[in-house]
Amino acid sequence: MRDAELSGYPTGWFVACFSSDLPPRGVKPLQYFGQHLVAFRGEDGQARILDAFCPHLGAHLGHGGTVVGDTVRCPFHAWQFDGGGRCTVIPYAQKIPPRATVRPWPVREINGVVLIHHDRAGNEPRFEVPVIPEYGSDEWLPWSTTSYRVKTHPREIVDNLADRAHFSSVHRTEIDEFSFGVEGHLAWQKVKGRASFPGGVDAFSSTTTYHGPGYLLMRMDGLLQNYMLVAHTPIDEGTLDLRLAVTLKIVGNRARTEGYVAGYLSNLKAGFEDDLRIWEHKTYMDPPALCDGDGPIGRLRRWYRQFYASPAPATEEDAARAAE
Ligand code: FES
Ligand SMILES: [Fe+2]
């Protein structure tokens, strides 16, 4: 094990919650990246995330805080904070002190999930998560979702993408074709195979892509056309929330497709629970003893390390150029 290289939390977009978990004017306490946070949805419908503790006397804005306009109001002395973390109202003061601010986090809401950006160096996001063109259309169902709290490090979840050999032993799935690639913040796996399930065998082809370190989308064509979202968000260095969501294309009538979803999601859950049993008890081998039938685990790990690298400090050359 060489833990030091993957210590702390990676840089990228992570799912903070499903959109449906944050209703209009909703306030929700969150705990991610070793920190306490608060998410709230203003009256304008926009989701926002701030550090949780009020700079006044430290109340947690997510426990008893309320939405007023597009601000969250502290439950203790009713100071209000906007999405930029600025205090806009103190009901009993003439002047708002300059230190009355909380840290705002970059937020996006895409494909029915609220995303938060964590950056090791405090920089702005350098990439975005893609919009699923089919999401929200009449021909596709809304997400069916589930989530797990898992005692593991994110690297274990990510390793799975290149782990060709575990399909057969863990997931009872035979792989006929497997390819893998990385480019910038993307890593993908393309698979053609056959999955065994209680009622028979399903031939499928899938493309599975990590968009940064914590957001994975799989597009699968087989018996059912579907997208699967697998997102993991670190709580602390040994615990994470794993969220799973699936949407199917409606075939024939809607009610029948809705009927498929429950069975389909429970199949997927069973597959994940097979992985979970391994993840929660394993150790991280670095370097691992790999054989010729294993997938490109080394390439994937090199790709993943980029999200733990803080930007290199500016060189003297950069400084000279900036001064010109
Ligand atoms: S602690 Fe939040 S307003 Fe006083
Ligand atoms: Fe797996």
Side-chain angles (χ1 to χ4, degrees), residues 11-14 108 110 117-119 124-130 184-186 210-215 303 306-307:
T11 291
W13 288 105
F14 296 87
R108 304 275 189 274
I110 301 170
H117 190 266
H118 173 262
D119 192 292
E124 288 303 305
R126 293 183 186 184
F127 67 90
E128 297 291 332
V129 157
H185 69 280
L186 303 174
Y210 264 103
H211 298 267
Y215 183 98
W303 170 83
Q306 69 177 304
F307 303 109

Side-chain angles (χ1 to χ4, degrees), residues 149-170:
R149 186 149 289 185
V150 192
K151 283 195 182 54
T152 191
H153 187 281
R155 64 193 171 200
E156 303 292 357
I157 316 269
V158 174
D159 255 11
N160 236 244
L161 188 75
D163 186 355
R164 175 185 177 144
H166 90 296
F167 277 100
S168 156
S169 48
V170 175

Side-chain angles (χ1 to χ4, degrees), residues 18 27 47 49 54 71 121 132 134 182 200 209-210 215 236 263 277 280 320:
F18 291 116
V27 178
I49 299 178
C54 180
T71 71
I132 301 174
E134 295 91 340
V182 296
T209 308
Y210 264 103
Y215 183 98
D236 55 40
R277 277 188 279 278
E280 289 207 312

Side-chain angles (χ1 to χ4, degrees), residues 54 56-59 74 76-79:
C54 180
H56 180 218
L57 284 167
C74 179
F76 205 178
H77 313 90
W79 292 22

